[in-house]
Amino acid sequence: MEQYIMKGGNPLVGEVTIGGAKNAALGILTAAIMTDDNVLIENLPDVRDINVMLEAIQEIGADVDRIDRHTVKINASNIGEVSVDDEYIRRIRASYYFIGALLGKYKSAQVPLPGGCNIGSRPIDLHLKGFRALGADISVERGAVVAHAIDLVGAHIYLDKVSVGATINVMMAATLAEGQTIIENAAKEPHVVDVANFLNSMGANIKGAGTDIIRIRGVRKLHGTEYSIIPDQIEAGTFMCAAAITRGDVMVKNVIPKHLEAISAKLIEIGCEVIEFDDAVRVVGKPIQHHTNINTLPYPGFPTDMQPQITVTLALAKGTSIVTESIFENRFKYVDELARMGSNIKVEGNVAIIDGVKSFSGASVNAPDLRAGAALVIAGLAADGYTTVDEIGYIQRGYECFEEKLRALGAMIEKVDSERAAQKFQLQVG
Ligand code: EPZ
């Protein structure tokens, strides 16, 4: 079983280049099947969730040509199936985007319901409410969402809760509906805007993405396109926190600094220096960093996907910080793992009260999910001695070449698959 082993203590210094946004790519890849023409997608991250999504797209009959690691050509003119296999749903929740894409294009979809996950219950009632408003008949049969429509007709849809997935899913279906759809209380995340821009590049007529009202005028057909995915806000934020927690100095390149403002603001509050460039952000950690309070919120608020990384950073800052998780109910599971490194954090419901400690000591920990796994790695890089992080499959779902990128910044980290390899690493780094 693969694990990361690392010896903490080196400040991370240097430059790192951020890849394409995983969560934008998941929406864009499914939207790509909505035309019969060729679609070329660039700046695709080479991570597990994306590769599973590509397999699922191929499985329903589309041609998927991986031109290189970060470029794919999709042609969905041969799709023969509007039913997606259960296996893929279990492996990536975002395959719920197939409902919007297939329903929009073929007026029919059958997609198994995604189950709960490690960060809490993740219902899709708002997605279904949106599809029903567009005139689709939706039922749940033997664990799958079955959606049919004779015609999809534009509608005025109010999302009761800000949801990235529901906004993207309904936007995709509405693109090929008759007439105008208005989505109110839409999510404003950068990846919502990226999926809208992608659909517009295929001939859709979507206005207002990035605000809380999205207006979609349905078109009859979408055409082929070439599109480059935006940089990953969360990968960038993770490296920013890695710079802060190790008291390093890292230039995080190929980013859109505006997408990182909430993260930058919090790092500045705790005493880091954050310098913005046109497409880069430099973070300089300071020997003594201070406490602050954080509440996760939909964009432009502080992202829930950065909550574990900032919490571990605050766990090594002076004073008491309070982090409130407002999006998912079960996203503090890693706190027990972090306690093995000597952190002092008490969780009450959706609030973590963090008493900063002077240092962590290396320990063996398990990654409970993707972002928490990444957070435990950066905690290990700031800890005294050796840390091992198990269950790194979670981390590989969303971070490309994580250990290589960290190593290029001076981290002592290795991916190993046996006790012997771990011992070899320890002998090498001394
Ligand atoms: C997306 O999930 C991301 N995933 C998540 O990233 C991210 O944590 C989340 O947005 C919030 O930013 C993808 O983009 C593939 P939501 P999503 O619908 O769309 C509730 C990562 O680490 N809700 O915005 O599924 C829901 O329970 C992952 O990369 C309903 O009640 O999240 C939550 O409390 C993890 N009913 C809130 O809304 C619904 O029908 C926001 O969830 C839908 C959501």
Side-chain angles (χ1 to χ4, degrees), residues 2 28 36 62 75 105 247 260-261 317 330 347 352 391-392 403 430:
E2 284 186 334
I28 286 172
D36 285 343
N75 183 295
K105 189 177 180 197
R247 275 61 177 170
L260 303 171
E261 273 172 1
N330 200 9
V347 175
E391 303 287 349
I392 63 169
E403 68 280 12

Side-chain angles (χ1 to χ4, degrees), residues 128-136 153-157:
L128 303 186
K129 172 182 166 174
F131 299 138
R132 285 195 179 105
L134 294 176
V153 181
H156 200 128
I157 298 162

Side-chain angles (χ1 to χ4, degrees), residues 22-24 26 49 93-94 96-97 117 119 121-128 161-166 168 187 189 191 234 297-298 303-305 326-329 331 369-371:
K22 169 189 74 101
N23 288 343
L26 289 166
D49 276 10
R93 272 189 51 89
Y96 52 44
Y97 287 141
C117 77
I119 58 176
S121 124
R122 295 179 69 183
I124 61 161
D125 55 312
L126 297 172
H127 305 227
L128 303 186
K161 205 167 176 183
V162 177
S163 159
V164 172
I168 291 178
E189 267 67 5
H191 38 297
I234 307 302
L297 288 170
T304 172
D305 290 348
S326 307
I327 312 287
F328 292 112
E329 77 254 27
R331 223 171 180 176
D369 63 67
L370 164 59
R371 307 301 172 187

Side-chain angles (χ1 to χ4, degrees), residues 2 50 95 135 137 240 244 285 290 322 329 342 351 394 396 412:
E2 284 186 334
I50 295 301
S95 36
D137 247 350
M240 291 167 76
H290 301 278
I322 296 180
E329 77 254 27
V351 177
Y394 284 117
Q396 291 162 343
M412 290 183 275

Side-chain angles (χ1 to χ4, degrees), residues 75-105:
N75 183 295
S77 55
N78 288 328
I79 285 188
E81 271 290 344
V82 293
S83 166
V84 180
D85 197 282
D86 196 27
E87 185 202 332
Y88 299 105
I89 301 288
R90 273 188 269 107
R91 287 165 65 197
I92 38 164
R93 272 189 51 89
S95 36
Y96 52 44
Y97 287 141
F98 278 112
I99 313 174
L102 292 169
L103 186 63
K105 189 177 180 197

